Amino acid sequence: MQYSPVENQIIRNQYGRLLSRIVVDAELTGVVAAAVEELLRGARSMLDVEPAIMTEIPKGSYLHIRLIEDAGYRRNEGQRWKLERDAFTLRQVQTLEEDRLQLIGGSAAGVLYGVFELLRFISLGISPEGLVIEECPSNRLRMMNQWDNADATIERGYAGNSIFYESGRIVKDVSRVRDYARLLSSVGINGISINNVNVHDIETSFITDEFLPDVARLADLFRAYGITLFLSINFAAPITIGGLDTADPLDDTVRAWWGNAVSRIYEYIPDFGGFLVKADSEHRPGPYAYGRDHADGANMLAEALETYGGIVIWRCFVYDCMQDWRDRTTDRARAAYEHFKPLDGRFCDNVILQIKNGPMDFQVREPVSPLFGAMKDTNQIIEYQITQEYTGQQRHLCYLIPQWKRVLDFDTQATGAGSDVKRVVSGSLFGMKYSGIAAVSNIGDDENWTGHPLAQANLYGYGRLTWNSDLTSEEIAEEWTRMTFGNDITVVSTVLQMLIQSWPIYENYTSPLGVGWMVTPHYHYGPDVDGYEYSRWGTYHFADRNGVGVDRTKATGTGYAAQYFPPHAEMYESLERCPDELLLFFHHVPYVHRLQSGKTVIQHIYDTHFLGVEQAEQLQQNWAALSGLVDTARYEQVAGRLAEQVEHAQYWRDVINTYFYRKSGIPDVNGRTIY
Ligand code: BDP
């Protein structure tokens, strides 16, 4: 959204002509007004034109913006397709009398998304000649989850403090929040929950008269960009702030209390989205305390919200965080499925389950959560983590879109071939009423938003992928790079390559073969192989002198592998067929076990860790070659982060290799130094 001046004269003239006059066939208020304002900003900055806004159709060149709620057009042969809420079309119409670019939105938000697409095309230098674009988002709910606390800290935030809060209150100066709303809507995000899922005392009061006027200010601001506001709530709020002695979801006084709380919220925010809930998880209160289940808890809130069109987004990140590592009968990986699968069909229509992409917790490599596809009668959305908690905390470069795409493209086989996760979460596989994608944000009040300037690609890419799940990681990376650093071919190809390689590089020098963890407890930055090994979090690798890995097979292990549909269940169960990259997630093997790659496990560990460091050094060199081609400030920032990454990758390499050398006693076949 820098809207840098367009250098290509032809493109500049073409768009300059078309945008010098803009006819708006819609009321210039709310989202349409925000869209037009954004268009003017972009046109002035990129094309150096001052568009005239008109209501009458002129002669010659112009841009025609229309809002047609029941617009329809042919999508495929013989098939009529109505413009959905957020959809838009963008096409050039040329006749002898006129040269018109026509943008039709199926709603005001559709107009806004169309405007952003147009601005993207201008800055990417895509010609308007013969343009025919028909865009409809893959997912209906495209959510951002802030893990921001009222004291301005951010749980797992790596880019400064919160832009939403200061000293226990919502900020007065909302200019940064407005820019954030612009950023989010530019990539199609349409929902935001503005406080941490771990709701502390202050945020518990967000749903009271004390805070609601301020919350409403933020809702107004986001509304102008087509973004609906949600709040994370504390399940024990009836006790904490309501003075009741129970939060039992089946208790009438509790239900009445929530009913009142909800009606008060809607007085302030008539289009309030609803609640995001972390319950019975990591010491958060929930229905289990009263002998009730998650359906009881979620449905109670859903009934309170239903009259107003609100929804409950209930998280499935539920497991026993007090388990004993010696107890091999429990397995944290199994937990979400075991808690929620039996409840399929019991949730109200306005409840959505939010499921983390993997069964554990945003590790660099995990299998796909087996819950996707397993609940045919329950609305569900996937949860990703943009903030790089376990993937280098925005000090290391780790472009996560390829990881997320692998999950979306995973064929669950729930109804046979073609049951991809992206069809589960788009709602098309089972015909869900609500569905979509959510992710934990990676921004803070750092000037560059994300700490590491290249980490912005994850925020951008998340939105784009959520809008269109079929875009490739490369397409997204290239768009972002061009709009961020300009169209210089060396810069574009270098940054693109760095982004695309970064996730495998990070994986190479951190925990191997899908086993995960091995990080400093609590902070989750830096290696500590046994940091979580003997604690109660269910996060083990079981390394001893003979071997490493978690046996999650049905035959001899925890049985997790059996939660998948065939043929995945059999594939993961099989030592021979389990993919190498997940081997230690599913199997405990001797160090000399041979991978499908032909290498032994121990040699794979050594090789990838040496390689990962070399690759990190290569990233640094690639960037160094861009000196003078990228502005100094950003050049220096990225160079600083990459230097830290190299140093830190060496540390990871040495800790991991030394650990496994000492455990196994097996030397590196290539004779490299291991301490
Ligand atoms: C883990 C984080 C923790 C979150 C939790 C969650 O370490 O801070 O509260 O997930 O998702 O990744 O609720």
Side-chain angles (χ1 to χ4, degrees):
M1 295 178 81
Q2 296 164 41
Y3 300 144
S4 309
V6 173
E7 278 161 17
N8 180 321
Q9 278 306 326
I10 299 174
I11 299 287
R12 195 180 169 123
N13 292 341
Q14 284 175 329
Y15 282 110
R17 262 199 311 277
L18 288 164
L19 266 64
S20 59
R21 289 177 298 178
I22 303 177
V23 179
V24 185
D25 257 350
E27 218 181 301
L28 254 182
T29 54
V31 177
V32 174
V36 171
E37 191 188 312
E38 198 64 40
L39 190 56
L40 296 186
R41 191 183 279 129
R44 285 179 195 128
S45 173
M46 288 194 284
L47 306 168
D48 196 22
V49 296
E50 185 56 53
I53 305 293
M54 337 179 74
T55 41
E56 298 287 306
I57 305 274
K59 287 225 151 42
S61 305
Y62 64 101
L63 168 68
H64 194 182
I65 296 181
R66 304 174 69 190
L67 196 175
I68 309 182
E69 265 159 16
D70 57 356
Y73 61 87
R74 297 184 97 75
R75 189 190 204 184
N76 293 318
E77 192 74 8
Q79 196 189 342
R80 296 285 293 176
W81 185 60
K82 268 176 87 172
L83 268 189
E84 287 197 25
R85 251 195 63 171
D86 294 345
F88 64 85
T89 66
L90 187 60
R91 66 175 71 192
Q92 193 201 29
V93 182
Q94 266 178 323
T95 62
L96 283 179
E97 288 86 44
E98 61 169 15
D99 176 14
R100 159 168 60 110
L101 195 56
Q102 176 179 280
L103 166 62
I104 303 179
S107 66
V111 169
L112 179 69
Y113 300 134
V115 160
F116 279 119
E117 180 92 326
L118 175 56
L119 292 170
R120 187 159 34 239
F121 279 18
I122 299 173
S123 85
L124 290 172
I126 297 170
S127 166
E129 287 293 321
L131 205 64
V132 186
I133 301 291
E134 297 168 354
E135 283 275 329
C136 180
S138 311
N139 297 287
R140 182 155 165 217
L141 276 172
R142 304 178 298 277
M143 293 279 303
M144 190 58 74
N145 292 176
Q146 300 302 132
W147 281 3
D148 296 36
N149 302 313
D151 66 3
T153 59
I154 303 175
E155 182 153 330
R156 311 304 175 189
Y158 310 108
N161 283 331
S162 172
I163 61 166
F164 290 86
Y165 310 104
E166 60 193 352
S167 318
R169 302 294 309 191
I170 289 169
V171 287
K172 292 211 165 55
D173 175 3
V174 290
S175 49
R176 204 76 202 269
V177 183
R178 178 170 294 108
D179 281 345
Y180 189 43
R182 291 175 51 220
L183 280 176
L184 295 182
S185 65
S186 79
V187 286
I189 301 299
N190 68 353
I192 186 166
S193 62
I194 58 163
N195 61 308
N196 190 357
V197 287
N198 294 315
V199 184
H200 312 104
D201 283 352
I202 305 184
E203 302 99 44
T204 302
S205 299
F206 277 14
I207 55 174
T208 65
D209 292 319
E210 189 194 344
F211 278 94
L212 280 170
D214 283 342
V215 176
R217 273 197 293 128
L218 294 184
D220 294 345
L221 189 155
F222 280 111
R223 183 183 304 114
Y225 290 92
I227 300 169
T228 304
L229 186 133
F230 291 71
L231 287 172
S232 296
I233 55 105
N234 177 350
F235 195 80
I239 303 173
T240 321
I241 55 171
L244 304 187
D245 56 9
T246 176
D248 181 350
L250 299 191
D251 182 293
D252 285 340
T253 51
V254 172
R255 299 171 82 83
W257 188 88
W258 279 111
N260 280 332
V262 165
S263 75
R264 217 163 36 239
I265 296 173
Y266 280 92
E267 279 168 26
Y268 289 94
I269 309 168
D271 58 352
F272 178 67
F275 296 144
L276 174 63
V277 194
K278 174 176 180 177
D280 285 316
S281 168
E282 300 184 330
H283 310 295
R284 302 311 302 156
Y288 282 165
Y290 309 97
R292 315 298 183 196
D293 62 27
H294 290 278
D296 297 326
N299 290 344
M300 167 196 60
L301 298 171
E303 279 164 30
L305 288 158
E306 211 227 324
T307 342
Y308 308 93
I311 55 180
V312 176
I313 305 180
W314 191 272
R315 295 177 83 228
C316 294
F317 183 62
V318 177
Y319 68 99
D320 178 7
C321 64
M322 297 292 285
Q323 71 182 65
D324 191 320
W325 67 275
R326 283 162 300 204
D327 180 2
R328 308 278 180 106
T329 63
T330 62
D331 178 3
R332 172 166 165 178
R334 279 195 343 235
Y337 186 100
E338 283 173 353
H339 285 289
F340 288 94
K341 163 89 173 122
L343 304 178
D344 191 22
R346 276 201 43 217
F347 292 95
C348 293
D349 276 358
N350 58 333
V351 173
I352 308 173
L353 297 186
Q354 180 164 310
I355 307 166
K356 285 192 182 184
N357 59 271
M360 297 299 274
D361 193 12
F362 303 133
Q363 300 302 291
V364 67
R365 175 81 67 172
E366 284 187 42
V368 172
S369 169
L371 259 186
F372 294 113
M375 300 184 74
K376 300 183 170 57
D377 295 313
T378 307
N379 299 315
Q380 44 200 285
I381 60 181
I382 192 169
E383 176 179 333
Y384 289 125
Q385 195 185 41
I386 313 176
T387 194
Q388 291 171 237
E389 176 178 359
Y390 295 96
T391 48
Q393 305 200 349
Q394 279 133 257
R395 294 169 173 189
H396 295 230
L397 178 60
C398 195
Y399 176 61
L400 289 165
I401 313 304
Q403 190 202 53
W404 301 337
K405 274 211 70 95
R406 278 183 78 110
V407 179
L408 286 177
D409 291 343
F410 179 81
D411 187 349
T412 66
Q413 301 275 347
T415 60
S419 314
D420 298 1
V421 170
K422 67 182 166 201
R423 295 195 54 218
V424 176
V425 301
S426 73
S428 67
L429 189 65
F430 300 128
M432 298 297 172
K433 181 163 179 205
Y434 295 105
S435 54
I437 308 195
V440 184
S441 175
N442 65 346
I443 67 110
D445 68 357
D446 273 6
E447 198 186 344
N448 68 17
W449 295 92
T450 50
H452 198 315
L454 301 187
Q456 293 171 4
N458 285 330
L459 180 64
Y460 177 85
Y462 165 69
R464 296 289 288 142
L465 188 63
T466 304
W467 176 274
N468 179 356
S469 300
D470 291 324
L471 288 172
T472 66
S473 303
E474 288 78 8
E475 282 167 340
I476 293 172
E478 183 173 340
E479 278 182 5
W480 179 80
T481 305
R482 285 182 185 276
M483 287 189 287
T484 306
F485 291 110
N487 291 312
D488 180 292
I489 212 151
T490 313
V491 177
V492 173
S493 63
T494 306
V495 176
L496 180 62
Q497 202 190 17
M498 289 173 70
L499 290 172
I500 294 297
Q501 293 171 342
S502 59
W503 171 46
I505 294 177
Y506 187 81
E507 181 178 28
N508 278 344
Y509 59 76
T510 57
S511 58
L513 298 167
V515 75
W517 308 99
M518 302 189 175
V519 288
T520 316
H522 184 63
Y523 299 105
H524 303 165
Y525 185 71
D528 183 349
V529 185
D530 284 339
Y532 274 119
E533 191 58 18
Y534 304 104
S535 63
R536 293 176 159 260
W537 296 90
T539 49
Y540 314 121
H541 54 67
F542 296 110
D544 59 18
R545 63 184 179 169
N546 300 314
V548 56
V550 189
D551 184 352
R552 292 193 162 103
T553 63
K554 196 170 171 218
T556 54
T558 70
Y560 167 79
Q563 290 183 342
Y564 290 88
F565 290 95
H568 300 302
E570 292 75 20
M571 178 181 70
Y572 292 136
E573 180 82 11
S574 153
L575 185 56
E576 290 71 40
R577 286 171 43 226
C578 179
D580 281 354
E581 73 262 16
L582 288 169
L583 187 78
L584 301 183
F585 192 94
F586 285 100
H587 297 273
H588 183 86
V589 295
Y591 292 110
V592 292
H593 172 80
R594 247 174 228 291
L595 296 169
Q596 292 176 27
S597 72
K599 281 188 187 171
T600 61
V601 166
I602 189 73
Q603 195 55 42
H604 173 94
I605 293 176
Y606 296 152
D607 286 351
T608 49
H609 284 74
F610 283 112
L611 176 67
V613 173
E614 285 164 23
Q615 291 172 315
E617 288 163 354
Q618 191 61 52
L619 287 177
Q620 195 181 18
Q621 286 159 21
N622 292 347
W623 183 255
L626 300 186
S627 169
L629 297 175
V630 169
D631 59 283
T632 321
R634 287 188 298 175
Y635 176 80
E636 296 293 344
Q637 279 177 19
V638 174
R641 299 269 158 166
L642 290 171
E644 184 184 349
Q645 178 172 355
V646 167
E647 200 178 312
H648 206 243
Q650 290 166 352
Y651 183 48
W652 264 102
R653 173 197 64 196
D654 293 342
V655 170
I656 299 283
N657 280 351
T658 303
Y659 179 94
F660 284 105
Y661 174 54
R662 292 199 187 159
K663 277 267 145 120
S664 69
I666 303 172
D668 170 30
V669 292
N670 296 317
R672 288 163 294 195
T673 309
I674 298 175
Y675 296 96

